[in-house]
Amino acid sequence: MTLLLQTVDLCCERDGRRLVDQLNLTVEEGQIHQIEGPNGSGKTSLLRILSGLSSRYSGNLHWRGKAMSRVRAEYLAELTYLGHSSGVKAVLTPRENLMWHAALRGLVDDTAQALVMTALDKVGLYGYEDAACFTLSAGQQRRVALARLFLGQSALWILDEPFTAIDKHGVGELEYWIADYAKSGGAVVLTTHHELNIDHAIQRVLLGGT
Amino acid sequence: MAAYQPVGIGFVATLRRDLLLAFRRRSDFFNPLAFFLIVCSLFPMGVGPDPKQLAILAPGIMWVVALLACLLSSDTLFRSDFDDGSLELMLLSPSSLYLQVLAKTLAHWLLTGFPLTILSPLLALLLQLPASGTVAMMLAMAVGTASLSFIGAIGAGLTVGLRKGGLLLSLIILPLYVPVLIFGVGTVQAAVDGFNYLGPLAVLGALLALAATLAPLAIAASVRISVDN
């Protein structure tokens, strides 16, 4: 298995509390890592550090064996990050939202159109692609954000509470997509309070337990 | 595999998206224009309708009001993107952040500075600015407000992470607006007095060249700092 993301002695402190202490995490192709811990234990902080949004940590990050600072552009090209806030504009339609995300990944015109429509179809928004997002329900808006997972090929998904506002059927689907992605060689790092029911080995990382 | 990104795709996409957003939320777009129009039309009532007196004050009034209109609108530049998480995704996208913020700033100018430029002859008439100054006013406005957008974007990037950044924003960027104000008024004044106004206009152009090349670096860095927590 190819080594993707690696943290070396990662520490993170907020307001005098040490949230992450000497974390040595290795994420390989085909692995699912679930970050666990009570509220306020630093799950989101850890994911923001791993994605490169936050620089408030000590220790080192490596991507495919190279120091993160050197290969940041390559890392971003292979990363899909789904945070708490979805990045979905309420006044735009799902199609317009996703076309922008596709363009940020360098996809345009017919390729992007086709990909966006497939992605929307996959998350169950077929028929809603031209309705403004503020007319959609919270769960449907979340699905627009989830559709980003299927734009372009990434090697790593970082998902922060991906199951929020998703219905029971959707949860099952998302679990299936995550397992399917891991089986095809993708790596997933996620946080959730929901008990994952996935047909794939899950590595658990416990925060705030010590 | 890291695919090579054609450079302009992210730029065009962000520019188009911002213009589309403004089109869907037209009230935001009209706010600075209405401000410019109303405040400028208050002056003849305040200082009296004497054409001579107004003509002397006109260049200064128009520039100060344009400055404030730009200041008011710059607060919203990154606000909605910050609130809904799009800004994070821009930072995490493989396309260059420099071009993204350049696109956002250009969109901001197209939605504030450019309409102000178009409106300025009308207000010049209202404020009794001599006709010889109108062309210079439009040229100076077009070039000057673009610099204002870039400067404003730096401040907007720095304060977007703060809940109440309004006053801080004006403290940061109003002093930086001063050179644009001086040479903007200078251009119009020179034209009104019948001198060659290309000199001060060229200085405004130089300021814009400096802002357009260097400001995106500062904007990108300030946005990064705001999101980093």
Side-chain angles (χ1 to χ4, degrees):
Chain A
M1 284 293 176
T2 323
L3 179 69
L4 293 176
L5 185 67
Q6 195 182 9
T7 71
V8 182
D9 294 338
L10 190 75
C11 299
C12 156
E13 208 179 271
R14 291 295 148 86
D15 307 321
R17 286 186 311 124
R18 182 158 284 203
L19 298 175
V20 180
D21 192 12
Q22 303 275 325
L23 179 70
N24 287 292
L25 178 71
T26 46
V27 181
E28 293 175 5
E29 275 183 0
Q31 282 187 335
I32 301 175
H33 289 260
Q34 183 181 1
I35 317 283
E36 291 180 321
N39 293 130
S41 58
K43 300 186 292 295
T44 295
S45 299
L46 177 61
L47 291 193
R48 289 176 69 89
I49 290 170
L50 292 182
S51 66
L53 279 175
S54 172
S55 62
R56 290 162 61 187
Y57 65 91
S58 67
N60 290 304
L61 290 176
H62 296 279
W63 175 249
R64 294 189 187 274
K66 293 179 195 139
M68 184 64 84
S69 52
R70 288 165 170 261
V71 290
R72 186 146 171 80
E74 285 108 82
Y75 175 55
L76 292 182
E78 295 190 273
L79 168 74
T80 299
Y81 172 84
L82 187 75
H84 273 282
S85 31
S86 54
V88 172
K89 287 275 179 220
V91 292
L92 298 183
T93 67
R95 191 211 299 261
E96 288 160 348
N97 269 302
L98 289 173
M99 282 304 279
W100 179 64
H101 291 297
L104 290 191
R105 299 204 144 263
L107 305 160
V108 274
D109 304 334
D110 296 347
T111 345
Q113 283 281 2
L115 258 176
V116 165
M117 290 314 285
T118 329
L120 282 172
D121 193 17
K122 205 160 176 177
V123 296
L125 287 174
Y126 184 81
Y128 292 98
E129 62 270 11
D130 289 323
C133 281
F134 63 80
T135 63
L136 303 181
S137 75
Q140 284 175 318
Q141 294 195 20
R142 192 71 190 161
R143 282 165 182 267
V144 178
L146 284 175
R148 284 202 300 115
L149 297 176
F150 307 108
L151 297 177
Q153 283 141 348
S154 45
L156 173 67
W157 288 356
I158 294 186
L159 313 175
D160 196 354
E161 300 287 355
F163 297 100
T164 315
I166 301 282
D167 60 25
K168 229 180 221 167
H169 176 64
V171 167
E173 275 180 326
L174 181 52
E175 283 172 340
Y176 170 75
W177 295 330
I178 290 174
D180 192 43
Y181 178 67
K183 277 175 195 148
S184 67
V188 183
V189 179
L190 78 156
T191 66
T192 176
H193 292 292
H194 152 89
E195 203 54 51
L196 282 178
N197 180 17
I198 285 183
D199 173 27
H200 196 276
I202 300 173
Q203 339 278 322
R204 290 171 201 277
V205 182
L206 191 66
L207 289 184
T210 48
Chain B
M1 48 154 210
Y4 277 99
Q5 300 276 328
V7 173
I9 293 178
F11 177 82
V12 175
T14 305
L15 181 63
R16 188 188 296 163
R17 168 177 169 272
D18 272 29
L19 295 177
L20 190 62
L21 278 172
F23 178 71
R24 297 272 162 86
R25 284 187 310 218
R26 274 168 288 238
S27 62
D28 286 7
F29 163 72
F30 285 115
N31 277 343
L33 292 184
F35 177 83
F36 187 55
L37 203 67
I38 293 169
V39 176
C40 279
S41 51
L42 286 180
F43 271 92
M45 293 179 237
V47 298
D50 175 23
K52 271 194 193 132
Q53 202 178 9
L54 271 178
I56 297 170
L57 295 175
I61 293 172
M62 288 182 67
W63 266 101
V64 170
V65 177
L67 221 73
L68 293 177
C70 284
L71 176 71
L72 273 182
S73 63
S74 63
D75 185 44
T76 57
L77 229 166
F78 295 112
R79 177 68 59 204
S80 78
D81 281 344
F82 181 82
D83 289 342
D84 67 18
S86 310
L87 204 56
E88 288 177 3
L89 297 176
M90 273 168 66
L91 288 172
L92 291 180
S93 83
S95 23
S96 138
L97 188 58
Y98 181 98
L99 290 175
Q100 304 265 348
V101 296
L102 191 64
K104 283 199 76 73
T105 316
L106 181 61
H108 179 256
W109 177 75
L110 286 174
L111 295 167
T112 56
F114 183 64
L116 288 187
T117 308
I118 303 293
L119 264 185
S120 62
L122 181 71
L123 292 164
L125 207 63
L126 193 75
L127 291 172
Q128 309 287 346
L129 185 80
S132 56
T134 310
V135 174
M137 174 61 97
M138 285 187 80
L139 287 173
M141 273 278 175
V143 180
T145 49
S147 306
L148 296 183
S149 285
F150 279 107
I151 297 168
I154 300 176
L158 276 175
T159 55
V160 73
L162 310 171
R163 286 295 107 191
K164 302 245 188 275
L167 183 64
L168 187 62
L169 177 67
S170 27
L171 283 177
I172 295 173
I173 61 180
L174 272 181
L176 297 173
Y177 276 175
V178 170
V180 178
L181 174 68
I182 292 173
F183 288 101
V185 174
T187 307
V188 184
Q189 204 62 58
V192 170
D193 294 343
F195 296 119
N196 187 347
Y197 59 83
L198 286 180
L201 188 62
V203 177
L204 277 182
L207 286 175
L208 176 60
L210 195 70
T213 46
L214 295 182
L217 295 174
I219 301 165
S222 65
V223 167
R224 240 183 248 286
I225 294 169
S226 288
V227 172
D228 186 352
N229 58 37

